[in-house]
Amino acid sequence: MKIILASQSPRRREIMDMLGIPYEIIVSHCDETFAEGLTIEEQSKRLGYIKAKAVFDKTEGDRIIIGSDSMVLKGDKIYGKPKDKVEAIKMLNDLKNDKHTVITSLAVLIQEGNKYVEKIEYDKADLYFKDMTDKEIEKWIEEDKPYDKAGGYAVQGKFAVFINRVDGNYFSVMGLPIHKLYDVIKKYL
């Protein structure tokens, strides 16, 4: 059975590589605009699903399509990918020395013969950041170019020195709830 990751995220690829199974990547290139009237959890699940569905509709045969989306949330504010340095600085200043939540969806669409299965869920984790100086924030942004990362940071790598604690699954924060994915696909491996 073919396994396809519907993502261009290098972090999701890294997590998939840990499974040690062959897979391919097909990027969905779908519209990630929020839908009206959905909770943040529903938004996340919807975005993971539309990414997976876009790739599912472009492929055929027995296959497993994996879509995912991560969002950073503090209070009622959603932090997406920063558009520029000014926005990245603002995000990290908002998140520093406090707690926020990462919500990562998982959408797995499986076609096996005439049988079609959808599994759509999400995982949450709380992160606690240390305080950061303006100089530390600027250095992080200059060195690691966080413009493809929700919230303007990556839990893995150099930014880890600013994280006091993660309450939840580390890999969900990184971008793919591998523990949930494995439970869905293990019978096909």
Side-chain angles (χ1 to χ4, degrees):
M1 167 134 7
K2 208 172 4 174
I3 299 174
I4 301 169
L5 176 64
S7 176
Q8 63 185 354
S9 164
R11 289 155 299 284
R12 290 190 182 107
R13 275 183 267 168
E14 187 179 330
I15 296 168
M16 286 294 295
D17 289 346
M18 289 176 16
L19 286 173
I21 56 174
Y23 70 96
E24 59 186 273
I25 294 170
I26 300 176
V27 180
S28 64
H29 300 294
C30 61
D31 179 10
E32 295 186 38
T33 306
F34 280 16
E36 295 278 326
L38 299 179
T39 66
I40 190 68
E41 293 85 0
E42 291 167 335
Q43 293 286 5
S44 182
K45 287 183 355 183
R46 179 185 159 274
L47 290 175
Y49 174 77
I50 63 173
K51 290 174 184 179
K53 185 72 166 113
V55 171
F56 185 87
D57 290 345
K58 291 190 276 190
T59 58
E60 54 188 40
D62 289 352
R63 64 206 183 279
I64 298 171
I65 311 294
I66 302 161
S68 189
D69 190 77
S70 295
M71 296 183 185
V72 173
L73 179 69
K74 182 178 174 191
D76 60 356
K77 185 169 183 182
I78 300 166
Y79 295 84
K81 298 171 186 169
K83 295 175 189 70
D84 55 32
K85 183 178 179 178
V86 171
E87 191 173 29
I89 289 169
K90 177 161 182 16
M91 283 183 186
L92 291 174
N93 273 307
D94 287 353
L95 298 173
K96 72 180 184 182
N97 205 29
D98 208 349
K99 174 185 126 176
H100 65 276
T101 301
V102 175
I103 300 169
T104 300
S105 63
L106 175 66
V108 184
L109 311 182
I110 302 167
Q111 182 75 50
E112 184 178 35
N114 293 328
K115 187 177 178 186
Y116 174 75
V117 175
E118 290 181 354
K119 183 72 173 172
I120 305 161
E121 55 187 294
Y122 67 90
D123 199 39
K124 279 185 175 183
D126 291 328
L127 275 80
Y128 297 80
F129 280 5
K130 294 177 7 181
D131 200 6
M132 296 176 260
T133 65
D134 291 344
K135 184 178 179 183
E136 288 170 326
I137 290 172
E138 292 236 3
K139 184 178 182 202
W140 159 252
I141 292 168
E142 288 302 316
E143 290 180 2
D144 290 305
K145 310 289 187 239
Y147 308 110
D148 66 338
K149 299 164 181 71
Y153 70 90
V155 70
Q156 73 286 356
K158 294 177 186 177
F159 194 82
V161 299
F162 301 115
I163 300 171
N164 272 333
R165 188 169 89 227
V166 176
D167 290 343
N169 186 280
Y170 173 84
F171 296 103
S172 292
V173 175
M174 197 170 154
L176 187 64
I178 193 168
H179 61 301
K180 291 180 181 255
L181 173 61
Y182 181 74
D183 288 346
V184 174
I185 67 171
K186 66 184 175 184
K187 73 179 186 179
Y188 302 98
L189 301 178

